[in-house]
Amino acid sequence: MNGECIAAISTAPAAGGVAIIRISGAEALPVAEKVFSPSGKTAVKKFKPRYMYSGNITAAGGITDFGLCVYFKAPHSFTGEDVVELHCHGGVELSRAVLRAVLAAGARPAKAGEFTMRAFVNGKISLSAAEGMADMINGQSSAEVRAGSLLYSGRLTKEAEEIQDKLTDVLAKIGADVDYPEEDIERSELSDIKQILLSLKERTDKLVAAYDGGKKIKNGVSVAICGKPNAGKSSLLNALLGYDKAIVSSSAGTTRDVVEGSMELGGVRFNLYDTAGIREDAGEIEKLGIKRARRALEAADVALIVYEGAYSGDEEELRKACPCPAIKVRNKRDISDRPDGNEDISVSALTGEGVEELKKLMQSAALPGGTSSDEAFLIEERHYKTLARVSESLGSAASAIGVFPTDIVSVDIKEAWDALGEITGATATEEIINTIFSKFCVGK
């Protein structure tokens, strides 16, 4: 794979100031020299690595652009191979014309994520770091981008490697016992090994526990706004978003379907779902909306139980049906500001009173631990499931110490070691690797 020279446009396919065409492979520089000519004082016989040269880029269709060229010599490049970047003016058709010229000069089109895959294969980046890069690129909130940045910086890789190193030491001790049975491991050593395994399980469990918050950071927090008709749910949605998203009417049953809107709180994306008012005497179409409202409630991370006047048994039934934290919101305090003693917060969707305080309540209910921690929290389901397997194997091994022969114990320890390698990439299967890099765009 690394012998082939690949090329792609690495910037977004839109008009802009600059477009970058990336070339990687052993023939990257000879290919670039066929389309780029340094000009004026920058004219050279030999390109110097990591120097930016200005000159003429000869594109397909008889087009010439004045641009820049920079050469990164292997292994000091993103992919670990020779890499050349051509910087032309950022026209969509112009950048495509430059790419066509590069392909005609001997490169082939890069596949999705192929540059990053080469970086992984050449040891420039770990598998989890590559996933972090994808999260940064695709992040829709600042918290998701930050979480991706933590992955990309190698936080999770470091955690996995440190646990692996300790397991390697344990396996070495057990291996010596298997190879030299006449020198049995003393009971005190077995006790020490058990404590090490339990300590590593605790460390792994801490990472696993962080996935609940990480999942919400990646997918966004789902908030169901529910209650009886005319409680002001649609008005509250509009007040939270800061613009009119839902139709507001004094007529009961105006909202027939789930109305969605998104906003960012504390760097985290909150997906709001304004649902149909739940009541018994609804018409046929309204009943379908109520059915969808109940589904939205079942899938929510936080529910806002909205009511006006006095909190009733209907609202309490909704709250009890919530599989998630529920905030009791007494609306229309502009009409009556006298609390009924049941609400968690009193607001006026019409005037905006209490709305900012409600947003803070939503944040603390969805993410009680906050999002400011620099721990290597998980945002990828793959990492969560892998570490859950690690924890299970470590627990099984610790329980077997002193009960079963050490060679049996080592099987569970080796399973934990191999699973950790799926995070770093050391033991990841080709299927896992291909699935991860298929999520990247062409040019990355």
Side-chain angles (χ1 to χ4, degrees):
M1 178 180 75
N2 292 0
E4 293 183 291
C5 186
I6 59 173
I9 300 169
S10 288
T11 42
V18 177
I20 299 174
I21 291 81
R22 178 182 284 167
I23 313 166
S24 182
E27 295 298 308
L29 186 57
V31 165
E33 288 177 320
K34 291 178 183 178
V35 299
F36 181 80
S37 303
S39 62
K41 293 181 180 179
T42 65
V44 290
K45 292 183 179 179
K46 186 176 180 181
F47 278 83
K48 201 171 179 181
R50 290 182 284 185
Y51 273 71
M52 189 74 82
Y53 296 93
S54 61
N56 292 317
I57 302 172
T58 303
I63 300 168
T64 299
D65 185 30
F66 188 77
L68 302 169
C69 177
V70 59
Y71 166 49
F72 301 94
K73 185 173 177 59
H76 305 295
S77 70
F78 173 68
T79 63
E81 306 171 336
D82 279 1
V83 171
V84 175
E85 289 183 356
L86 297 172
H87 297 222
C88 65
H89 287 94
V92 175
E93 188 50 43
L94 174 58
S95 58
R96 289 174 180 170
V98 174
L99 177 60
R100 288 197 296 271
V102 169
L103 298 179
R108 71 158 172 82
K111 300 173 185 175
E114 191 169 3
F115 290 101
T116 310
M117 181 179 276
R118 290 191 176 195
F120 166 68
V121 170
N122 292 323
K124 304 295 287 187
I125 190 173
S126 71
L127 199 56
S128 64
E131 290 171 282
M133 182 190 299
D135 287 326
M136 282 197 294
I137 293 170
N138 299 317
Q140 296 183 42
S141 69
S142 58
E144 189 181 347
V145 172
R146 187 171 176 279
S149 175
L150 285 172
L151 263 184
Y152 180 55
S153 68
R155 293 290 182 91
L156 187 58
T157 298
K158 184 181 177 183
E159 289 276 347
E161 288 177 341
E162 286 179 358
I163 296 172
Q164 265 190 323
D165 288 345
K166 292 183 184 297
L167 291 180
T168 299
D169 293 340
V170 170
L171 286 169
K173 287 181 181 179
I174 291 176
D177 180 58
V178 173
D179 293 338
Y180 304 99
E182 67 278 4
E183 298 181 14
D184 286 344
I185 295 181
E186 294 181 6
R187 185 172 294 276
S188 61
E189 285 187 274
L190 285 174
S191 179
D192 289 344
I193 289 174
K194 183 172 184 176
Q195 288 306 309
I196 290 170
L197 293 176
L198 289 174
S199 174
L200 294 177
K201 182 181 185 306
E202 184 180 350
R203 184 172 177 177
T204 304
D205 287 342
K206 186 178 179 182
L207 289 169
V208 171
Y211 179 65
D212 182 58
K215 179 173 62 175
K216 291 170 185 172
I217 287 171
K218 183 173 177 63
N219 301 326
V221 175
S222 176
V223 181
I225 305 174
C226 51
K228 289 193 289 190
N230 264 356
K233 299 183 297 299
S234 297
S235 296
L236 184 59
L237 171 72
N238 293 341
L240 286 166
L241 294 176
Y243 63 92
D244 290 344
K245 173 74 176 182
I247 296 173
V248 176
S249 170
S250 59
S251 300
T254 300
T255 302
R256 300 294 184 90
D257 203 348
V258 176
V259 180
E260 304 175 21
S262 293
M263 64 179 181
E264 196 168 302
L265 295 177
V268 179
R269 181 164 41 94
F270 277 66
N271 302 314
L272 310 180
Y273 300 91
D274 171 27
T275 64
I278 298 175
R279 59 175 175 171
E280 294 299 324
D281 58 340
E284 197 61 37
I285 295 176
E286 197 177 340
K287 282 180 180 178
L288 291 174
I290 292 172
K291 189 175 180 181
R292 293 184 181 183
R294 293 193 185 279
R295 282 205 300 266
L297 186 60
E298 289 168 5
D301 297 308
V302 176
L304 304 184
I305 311 295
V306 185
Y307 68 99
E308 63 167 317
Y311 187 76
S312 70
D314 292 332
E315 282 83 23
E316 183 59 19
E317 275 187 38
L318 268 179
R319 188 194 66 77
K320 288 179 178 178
C322 288
C324 60
I327 301 172
K328 293 178 284 185
V329 183
R330 188 173 68 85
N331 193 16
K332 305 185 182 181
R333 66 184 262 187
D334 54 297
I335 297 174
S336 172
D337 61 357
R338 200 165 112 196
D340 71 341
N342 291 293
E343 73 274 17
D344 294 312
I345 188 168
S346 177
V347 305
S348 169
L350 181 64
T351 66
E353 294 175 89
V355 171
E356 291 305 313
E357 289 79 3
L358 174 57
K359 289 178 181 179
K360 292 175 184 177
L361 275 182
M362 289 162 58
Q363 281 182 260
S364 59
L367 297 159
T371 60
S372 60
S373 173
D374 277 345
E375 293 177 4
F377 49 77
L378 275 68
I379 61 172
E380 293 290 341
E381 186 178 7
R382 183 182 83 86
H383 299 157
Y384 165 72
K385 289 182 175 179
T386 301
L387 287 171
R389 281 166 39 215
V390 172
S391 176
E392 185 179 354
S393 295
L394 291 176
S396 179
S399 299
I401 292 286
V403 179
F404 296 100
T406 51
D407 57 334
I408 301 297
V409 176
S410 68
V411 173
D412 283 322
I413 298 174
K414 186 62 168 58
E415 283 181 359
W417 194 97
D418 287 341
L420 288 163
E422 291 178 17
I423 290 175
T424 63
T427 60
T429 63
E430 186 176 348
E431 182 182 2
I432 290 173
I433 293 169
N434 288 336
T435 299
I436 288 169
F437 288 106
S438 68
K439 299 175 183 177
F440 282 81
C441 59
V442 173
K444 191 60 184 171

PDB file of all heavy atoms in Angstrom, residues 120 125-135 147-148 150-158 160 380 382-383 422-425 436-437:
ATOM      1  N   PHE A 120      -1.425   5.609  10.657  1.00  0.00           N
ATOM      2  CA  PHE A 120      -1.575   4.550  11.666  1.00  0.00           C
ATOM      3  C   PHE A 120      -0.649   3.376  11.362  1.00  0.00           C
ATOM      4  O   PHE A 120       0.069   2.891  12.247  1.00  0.00           O
ATOM      5  CB  PHE A 120      -3.038   4.082  11.714  1.00  0.00           C
ATOM      6  CG  PHE A 120      -3.236   2.793  12.447  1.00  0.00           C
ATOM      7  CD1 PHE A 120      -3.049   2.719  13.822  1.00  0.00           C
ATOM      8  CD2 PHE A 120      -3.596   1.636  11.762  1.00  0.00           C
ATOM      9  CE1 PHE A 120      -3.217   1.518  14.507  1.00  0.00           C
ATOM     10  CE2 PHE A 120      -3.764   0.437  12.430  1.00  0.00           C
ATOM     11  CZ  PHE A 120      -3.574   0.379  13.800  1.00  0.00           C
ATOM     12  N   ILE A 125       0.396   7.444  14.531  1.00  0.00           N
ATOM     13  CA  ILE A 125      -0.798   7.742  15.304  1.00  0.00           C
ATOM     14  C   ILE A 125      -1.410   6.426  15.776  1.00  0.00           C
ATOM     15  O   ILE A 125      -1.316   5.407  15.082  1.00  0.00           O
ATOM     16  CB  ILE A 125      -1.805   8.540  14.425  1.00  0.00           C
ATOM     17  CG1 ILE A 125      -2.964   9.080  15.246  1.00  0.00           C
ATOM     18  CG2 ILE A 125      -2.318   7.698  13.273  1.00  0.00           C
ATOM     19  CD1 ILE A 125      -3.878  10.004  14.443  1.00  0.00           C
ATOM     20  N   SER A 126      -1.995   6.412  16.976  1.00  0.00           N
ATOM     21  CA  SER A 126      -2.666   5.203  17.466  1.00  0.00           C
ATOM     22  C   SER A 126      -4.081   5.146  16.908  1.00  0.00           C
ATOM     23  O   SER A 126      -4.597   6.131  16.369  1.00  0.00           O
ATOM     24  CB  SER A 126      -2.712   5.197  18.992  1.00  0.00           C
ATOM     25  OG  SER A 126      -3.627   6.172  19.469  1.00  0.00           O
ATOM     26  N   LEU A 127      -4.711   3.983  17.057  1.00  0.00           N
ATOM     27  CA  LEU A 127      -6.055   3.817  16.526  1.00  0.00           C
ATOM     28  C   LEU A 127      -7.057   4.723  17.244  1.00  0.00           C
ATOM     29  O   LEU A 127      -7.899   5.369  16.615  1.00  0.00           O
ATOM     30  CB  LEU A 127      -6.488   2.347  16.663  1.00  0.00           C
ATOM     31  CG  LEU A 127      -7.649   1.895  15.775  1.00  0.00           C
ATOM     32  CD1 LEU A 127      -7.359   2.147  14.307  1.00  0.00           C
ATOM     33  CD2 LEU A 127      -7.949   0.416  16.006  1.00  0.00           C
ATOM     34  N   SER A 128      -6.971   4.796  18.568  1.00  0.00           N
ATOM     35  CA  SER A 128      -7.906   5.646  19.309  1.00  0.00           C
ATOM     36  C   SER A 128      -7.646   7.127  19.013  1.00  0.00           C
ATOM     37  O   SER A 128      -8.575   7.938  18.980  1.00  0.00           O
ATOM     38  CB  SER A 128      -7.820   5.384  20.813  1.00  0.00           C
ATOM     39  OG  SER A 128      -6.548   5.721  21.319  1.00  0.00           O
ATOM     40  N   ALA A 129      -6.385   7.492  18.776  1.00  0.00           N
ATOM     41  CA  ALA A 129      -6.073   8.876  18.418  1.00  0.00           C
ATOM     42  C   ALA A 129      -6.685   9.228  17.062  1.00  0.00           C
ATOM     43  O   ALA A 129      -7.175  10.350  16.859  1.00  0.00           O
ATOM     44  CB  ALA A 129      -4.569   9.095  18.392  1.00  0.00           C
ATOM     45  N   ALA A 130      -6.679   8.272  16.139  1.00  0.00           N
ATOM     46  CA  ALA A 130      -7.298   8.496  14.830  1.00  0.00           C
ATOM     47  C   ALA A 130      -8.799   8.723  14.993  1.00  0.00           C
ATOM     48  O   ALA A 130      -9.385   9.590  14.335  1.00  0.00           O
ATOM     49  CB  ALA A 130      -7.049   7.301  13.911  1.00  0.00           C
ATOM     50  N   GLU A 131      -9.426   7.966  15.898  1.00  0.00           N
ATOM     51  CA  GLU A 131     -10.853   8.151  16.157  1.00  0.00           C
ATOM     52  C   GLU A 131     -11.110   9.527  16.772  1.00  0.00           C
ATOM     53  O   GLU A 131     -12.126  10.170  16.488  1.00  0.00           O
ATOM     54  CB  GLU A 131     -11.358   7.044  17.079  1.00  0.00           C
ATOM     55  CG  GLU A 131     -11.406   5.680  16.390  1.00  0.00           C
ATOM     56  CD  GLU A 131     -11.691   4.542  17.359  1.00  0.00           C
ATOM     57  OE1 GLU A 131     -10.762   4.126  18.061  1.00  0.00           O
ATOM     58  OE2 GLU A 131     -12.832   4.077  17.406  1.00  0.00           O
ATOM     59  N   GLY A 132     -10.182   9.971  17.614  1.00  0.00           N
ATOM     60  CA  GLY A 132     -10.300  11.301  18.195  1.00  0.00           C
ATOM     61  C   GLY A 132     -10.234  12.387  17.137  1.00  0.00           C
ATOM     62  O   GLY A 132     -10.954  13.388  17.203  1.00  0.00           O
ATOM     63  N   MET A 133      -9.379  12.178  16.145  1.00  0.00           N
ATOM     64  CA  MET A 133      -9.279  13.138  15.044  1.00  0.00           C
ATOM     65  C   MET A 133     -10.601  13.235  14.292  1.00  0.00           C
ATOM     66  O   MET A 133     -11.075  14.328  13.970  1.00  0.00           O
ATOM     67  CB  MET A 133      -8.167  12.711  14.079  1.00  0.00           C
ATOM     68  CG  MET A 133      -7.938  13.665  12.928  1.00  0.00           C
ATOM     69  SD  MET A 133      -6.836  12.960  11.691  1.00  0.00           S
ATOM     70  CE  MET A 133      -5.353  12.715  12.669  1.00  0.00           C
ATOM     71  N   ALA A 134     -11.224  12.069  14.046  1.00  0.00           N
ATOM     72  CA  ALA A 134     -12.518  12.059  13.361  1.00  0.00           C
ATOM     73  C   ALA A 134     -13.574  12.784  14.187  1.00  0.00           C
ATOM     74  O   ALA A 134     -14.406  13.520  13.650  1.00  0.00           O
ATOM     75  CB  ALA A 134     -12.956  10.621  13.094  1.00  0.00           C
ATOM     76  N   ASP A 135     -13.526  12.606  15.501  1.00  0.00           N
ATOM     77  CA  ASP A 135     -14.488  13.288  16.379  1.00  0.00           C
ATOM     78  C   ASP A 135     -14.285  14.795  16.359  1.00  0.00           C
ATOM     79  O   ASP A 135     -15.250  15.562  16.425  1.00  0.00           O
ATOM     80  CB  ASP A 135     -14.372  12.756  17.810  1.00  0.00           C
ATOM     81  CG  ASP A 135     -14.946  11.351  17.961  1.00  0.00           C
ATOM     82  OD1 ASP A 135     -15.929  11.044  17.264  1.00  0.00           O
ATOM     83  OD2 ASP A 135     -14.400  10.571  18.746  1.00  0.00           O
ATOM     84  N   ALA A 147     -13.499  16.667  23.555  1.00  0.00           N
ATOM     85  CA  ALA A 147     -13.366  15.243  23.862  1.00  0.00           C
ATOM     86  C   ALA A 147     -12.557  14.538  22.781  1.00  0.00           C
ATOM     87  O   ALA A 147     -11.701  13.695  23.069  1.00  0.00           O
ATOM     88  CB  ALA A 147     -14.743  14.606  24.004  1.00  0.00           C
ATOM     89  N   GLY A 148     -12.820  14.896  21.519  1.00  0.00           N
ATOM     90  CA  GLY A 148     -12.039  14.342  20.418  1.00  0.00           C
ATOM     91  C   GLY A 148     -10.581  14.724  20.529  1.00  0.00           C
ATOM     92  O   GLY A 148      -9.680  13.919  20.239  1.00  0.00           O
ATOM     93  N   LEU A 150      -8.938  15.255  23.290  1.00  0.00           N
ATOM     94  CA  LEU A 150      -8.330  14.426  24.332  1.00  0.00           C
ATOM     95  C   LEU A 150      -7.966  13.051  23.786  1.00  0.00           C
ATOM     96  O   LEU A 150      -6.899  12.498  24.090  1.00  0.00           O
ATOM     97  CB  LEU A 150      -9.281  14.282  25.522  1.00  0.00           C
ATOM     98  CG  LEU A 150      -9.429  15.495  26.436  1.00  0.00           C
ATOM     99  CD1 LEU A 150     -10.537  15.275  27.445  1.00  0.00           C
ATOM    100  CD2 LEU A 150      -8.113  15.796  27.156  1.00  0.00           C
ATOM    101  N   LEU A 151      -8.844  12.482  22.963  1.00  0.00           N
ATOM    102  CA  LEU A 151      -8.550  11.187  22.345  1.00  0.00           C
ATOM    103  C   LEU A 151      -7.355  11.319  21.410  1.00  0.00           C
ATOM    104  O   LEU A 151      -6.453  10.489  21.409  1.00  0.00           O
ATOM    105  CB  LEU A 151      -9.761  10.714  21.536  1.00  0.00           C
ATOM    106  CG  LEU A 151     -10.739   9.736  22.187  1.00  0.00           C
ATOM    107  CD1 LEU A 151     -11.811   9.327  21.182  1.00  0.00           C
ATOM    108  CD2 LEU A 151     -10.029   8.508  22.710  1.00  0.00           C
ATOM    109  N   TYR A 152      -7.379  12.373  20.585  1.00  0.00           N
ATOM    110  CA  TYR A 152      -6.308  12.592  19.607  1.00  0.00           C
ATOM    111  C   TYR A 152      -4.955  12.801  20.288  1.00  0.00           C
ATOM    112  O   TYR A 152      -3.914  12.394  19.777  1.00  0.00           O
ATOM    113  CB  TYR A 152      -6.657  13.795  18.736  1.00  0.00           C
ATOM    114  CG  TYR A 152      -5.625  14.118  17.675  1.00  0.00           C
ATOM    115  CD1 TYR A 152      -5.231  13.161  16.761  1.00  0.00           C
ATOM    116  CD2 TYR A 152      -5.050  15.386  17.588  1.00  0.00           C
ATOM    117  CE1 TYR A 152      -4.286  13.445  15.786  1.00  0.00           C
ATOM    118  CE2 TYR A 152      -4.113  15.691  16.622  1.00  0.00           C
ATOM    119  CZ  TYR A 152      -3.726  14.712  15.721  1.00  0.00           C
ATOM    120  OH  TYR A 152      -2.790  14.995  14.767  1.00  0.00           O
ATOM    121  N   SER A 153      -4.972  13.428  21.456  1.00  0.00           N
ATOM    122  CA  SER A 153      -3.718  13.692  22.164  1.00  0.00           C
ATOM    123  C   SER A 153      -3.126  12.427  22.790  1.00  0.00           C
ATOM    124  O   SER A 153      -2.013  12.448  23.293  1.00  0.00           O
ATOM    125  CB  SER A 153      -3.936  14.744  23.255  1.00  0.00           C
ATOM    126  OG  SER A 153      -4.760  14.214  24.299  1.00  0.00           O
ATOM    127  N   GLY A 154      -3.894  11.329  22.762  1.00  0.00           N
ATOM    128  CA  GLY A 154      -3.359  10.052  23.240  1.00  0.00           C
ATOM    129  C   GLY A 154      -3.683   9.723  24.681  1.00  0.00           C
ATOM    130  O   GLY A 154      -3.086   8.812  25.257  1.00  0.00           O
ATOM    131  N   ARG A 155      -4.652  10.437  25.283  1.00  0.00           N
ATOM    132  CA  ARG A 155      -4.988  10.170  26.682  1.00  0.00           C
ATOM    133  C   ARG A 155      -5.448   8.723  26.881  1.00  0.00           C
ATOM    134  O   ARG A 155      -4.988   8.040  27.784  1.00  0.00           O
ATOM    135  CB  ARG A 155      -6.080  11.128  27.164  1.00  0.00           C
ATOM    136  CG  ARG A 155      -5.659  12.583  27.243  1.00  0.00           C
ATOM    137  CD  ARG A 155      -4.670  12.819  28.383  1.00  0.00           C
ATOM    138  NE  ARG A 155      -4.312  14.220  28.476  1.00  0.00           N
ATOM    139  CZ  ARG A 155      -4.942  15.099  29.226  1.00  0.00           C
ATOM    140  NH1 ARG A 155      -5.982  14.719  29.939  1.00  0.00           N
ATOM    141  NH2 ARG A 155      -4.542  16.363  29.266  1.00  0.00           N
ATOM    142  N   LEU A 156      -6.369   8.274  26.042  1.00  0.00           N
ATOM    143  CA  LEU A 156      -6.892   6.920  26.206  1.00  0.00           C
ATOM    144  C   LEU A 156      -5.837   5.881  25.836  1.00  0.00           C
ATOM    145  O   LEU A 156      -5.726   4.833  26.480  1.00  0.00           O
ATOM    146  CB  LEU A 156      -8.150   6.731  25.358  1.00  0.00           C
ATOM    147  CG  LEU A 156      -8.890   5.414  25.550  1.00  0.00           C
ATOM    148  CD1 LEU A 156      -9.312   5.226  27.005  1.00  0.00           C
ATOM    149  CD2 LEU A 156     -10.106   5.324  24.633  1.00  0.00           C
ATOM    150  N   THR A 157      -5.060   6.170  24.808  1.00  0.00           N
ATOM    151  CA  THR A 157      -3.978   5.258  24.417  1.00  0.00           C
ATOM    152  C   THR A 157      -3.000   5.072  25.564  1.00  0.00           C
ATOM    153  O   THR A 157      -2.571   3.946  25.866  1.00  0.00           O
ATOM    154  CB  THR A 157      -3.226   5.818  23.189  1.00  0.00           C
ATOM    155  OG1 THR A 157      -4.135   5.911  22.088  1.00  0.00           O
ATOM    156  CG2 THR A 157      -2.069   4.917  22.793  1.00  0.00           C
ATOM    157  N   LYS A 158      -2.642   6.160  26.230  1.00  0.00           N
ATOM    158  CA  LYS A 158      -1.713   6.093  27.357  1.00  0.00           C
ATOM    159  C   LYS A 158      -2.291   5.241  28.485  1.00  0.00           C
ATOM    160  O   LYS A 158      -1.587   4.409  29.072  1.00  0.00           O
ATOM    161  CB  LYS A 158      -1.410   7.504  27.863  1.00  0.00           C
ATOM    162  CG  LYS A 158      -0.378   7.537  28.986  1.00  0.00           C
ATOM    163  CD  LYS A 158      -0.136   8.972  29.457  1.00  0.00           C
ATOM    164  CE  LYS A 158       0.857   8.979  30.634  1.00  0.00           C
ATOM    165  NZ  LYS A 158       1.049  10.356  31.152  1.00  0.00           N
ATOM    166  N   ALA A 160      -4.525   2.841  28.248  1.00  0.00           N
ATOM    167  CA  ALA A 160      -4.540   1.438  27.815  1.00  0.00           C
ATOM    168  C   ALA A 160      -3.143   0.828  27.864  1.00  0.00           C
ATOM    169  O   ALA A 160      -2.971  -0.315  28.319  1.00  0.00           O
ATOM    170  CB  ALA A 160      -5.115   1.344  26.399  1.00  0.00           C
ATOM    171  N   GLU A 380     -16.653   7.090  22.478  1.00  0.00           N
ATOM    172  CA  GLU A 380     -16.883   6.098  21.443  1.00  0.00           C
ATOM    173  C   GLU A 380     -17.432   4.815  22.058  1.00  0.00           C
ATOM    174  O   GLU A 380     -16.867   4.278  23.009  1.00  0.00           O
ATOM    175  CB  GLU A 380     -15.576   5.777  20.694  1.00  0.00           C
ATOM    176  CG  GLU A 380     -15.023   6.924  19.872  1.00  0.00           C
ATOM    177  CD  GLU A 380     -15.883   7.227  18.657  1.00  0.00           C
ATOM    178  OE1 GLU A 380     -16.679   6.346  18.253  1.00  0.00           O
ATOM    179  OE2 GLU A 380     -15.767   8.333  18.112  1.00  0.00           O
ATOM    180  N   ARG A 382     -17.342   1.894  20.867  1.00  0.00           N
ATOM    181  CA  ARG A 382     -16.371   0.807  20.701  1.00  0.00           C
ATOM    182  C   ARG A 382     -15.432   0.726  21.886  1.00  0.00           C
ATOM    183  O   ARG A 382     -15.138  -0.358  22.407  1.00  0.00           O
ATOM    184  CB  ARG A 382     -15.563   1.017  19.410  1.00  0.00           C
ATOM    185  CG  ARG A 382     -14.574  -0.093  19.109  1.00  0.00           C
ATOM    186  CD  ARG A 382     -13.774   0.198  17.858  1.00  0.00           C
ATOM    187  NE  ARG A 382     -12.650   1.076  18.118  1.00  0.00           N
ATOM    188  CZ  ARG A 382     -11.460   0.665  18.530  1.00  0.00           C
ATOM    189  NH1 ARG A 382     -11.241  -0.610  18.790  1.00  0.00           N
ATOM    190  NH2 ARG A 382     -10.483   1.524  18.721  1.00  0.00           N
ATOM    191  N   HIS A 383     -14.945   1.867  22.353  1.00  0.00           N
ATOM    192  CA  HIS A 383     -14.036   1.892  23.499  1.00  0.00           C
ATOM    193  C   HIS A 383     -14.748   1.432  24.766  1.00  0.00           C
ATOM    194  O   HIS A 383     -14.186   0.704  25.583  1.00  0.00           O
ATOM    195  CB  HIS A 383     -13.475   3.305  23.697  1.00  0.00           C
ATOM    196  CG  HIS A 383     -12.699   3.809  22.528  1.00  0.00           C
ATOM    197  ND1 HIS A 383     -12.505   5.147  22.280  1.00  0.00           N
ATOM    198  CD2 HIS A 383     -12.074   3.150  21.523  1.00  0.00           C
ATOM    199  CE1 HIS A 383     -11.788   5.293  21.185  1.00  0.00           C
ATOM    200  NE2 HIS A 383     -11.526   4.101  20.696  1.00  0.00           N
ATOM    201  N   GLU A 422      -6.907  -3.570  21.224  1.00  0.00           N
ATOM    202  CA  GLU A 422      -7.882  -3.137  20.220  1.00  0.00           C
ATOM    203  C   GLU A 422      -8.081  -1.626  20.266  1.00  0.00           C
ATOM    204  O   GLU A 422      -8.474  -1.012  19.280  1.00  0.00           O
ATOM    205  CB  GLU A 422      -9.224  -3.848  20.450  1.00  0.00           C
ATOM    206  CG  GLU A 422      -9.187  -5.335  20.149  1.00  0.00           C
ATOM    207  CD  GLU A 422     -10.517  -5.997  20.432  1.00  0.00           C
ATOM    208  OE1 GLU A 422     -11.535  -5.266  20.555  1.00  0.00           O
ATOM    209  OE2 GLU A 422     -10.557  -7.240  20.536  1.00  0.00           O
ATOM    210  N   ILE A 423      -7.810  -1.033  21.426  1.00  0.00           N
ATOM    211  CA  ILE A 423      -7.930   0.423  21.568  1.00  0.00           C
ATOM    212  C   ILE A 423      -6.725   1.117  20.942  1.00  0.00           C
ATOM    213  O   ILE A 423      -6.865   2.079  20.174  1.00  0.00           O
ATOM    214  CB  ILE A 423      -8.076   0.809  23.051  1.00  0.00           C
ATOM    215  CG1 ILE A 423      -9.450   0.365  23.567  1.00  0.00           C
ATOM    216  CG2 ILE A 423      -7.904   2.323  23.245  1.00  0.00           C
ATOM    217  CD1 ILE A 423      -9.663   0.573  25.043  1.00  0.00           C
ATOM    218  N   THR A 424      -5.538   0.628  21.238  1.00  0.00           N
ATOM    219  CA  THR A 424      -4.328   1.236  20.685  1.00  0.00           C
ATOM    220  C   THR A 424      -4.127   0.876  19.222  1.00  0.00           C
ATOM    221  O   THR A 424      -3.494   1.613  18.471  1.00  0.00           O
ATOM    222  CB  THR A 424      -3.090   0.785  21.480  1.00  0.00           C
ATOM    223  OG1 THR A 424      -2.935  -0.634  21.334  1.00  0.00           O
ATOM    224  CG2 THR A 424      -3.235   1.118  22.957  1.00  0.00           C
ATOM    225  N   GLY A 425      -4.654  -0.291  18.835  1.00  0.00           N
ATOM    226  CA  GLY A 425      -4.475  -0.769  17.462  1.00  0.00           C
ATOM    227  C   GLY A 425      -3.539  -1.943  17.371  1.00  0.00           C
ATOM    228  O   GLY A 425      -3.427  -2.570  16.323  1.00  0.00           O
ATOM    229  N   ILE A 436     -13.239   1.875  11.082  1.00  0.00           N
ATOM    230  CA  ILE A 436     -12.887   3.175  11.656  1.00  0.00           C
ATOM    231  C   ILE A 436     -12.485   4.170  10.570  1.00  0.00           C
ATOM    232  O   ILE A 436     -12.978   5.301  10.525  1.00  0.00           O
ATOM    233  CB  ILE A 436     -11.744   3.015  12.687  1.00  0.00           C
ATOM    234  CG1 ILE A 436     -12.284   2.322  13.946  1.00  0.00           C
ATOM    235  CG2 ILE A 436     -11.135   4.367  13.046  1.00  0.00           C
ATOM    236  CD1 ILE A 436     -11.219   1.889  14.912  1.00  0.00           C
ATOM    237  N   PHE A 437     -11.618   3.746   9.645  1.00  0.00           N
ATOM    238  CA  PHE A 437     -11.115   4.697   8.656  1.00  0.00           C
ATOM    239  C   PHE A 437     -12.116   4.982   7.538  1.00  0.00           C
ATOM    240  O   PHE A 437     -11.977   5.977   6.829  1.00  0.00           O
ATOM    241  CB  PHE A 437      -9.779   4.207   8.094  1.00  0.00           C
ATOM    242  CG  PHE A 437      -8.656   4.337   9.076  1.00  0.00           C
ATOM    243  CD1 PHE A 437      -8.144   3.220   9.710  1.00  0.00           C
ATOM    244  CD2 PHE A 437      -8.144   5.573   9.417  1.00  0.00           C
ATOM    245  CE1 PHE A 437      -7.122   3.331  10.650  1.00  0.00           C
ATOM    246  CE2 PHE A 437      -7.137   5.708  10.351  1.00  0.00           C
ATOM    247  CZ  PHE A 437      -6.625   4.583  10.971  1.00  0.00           C
TER     248      PHE A 437
END
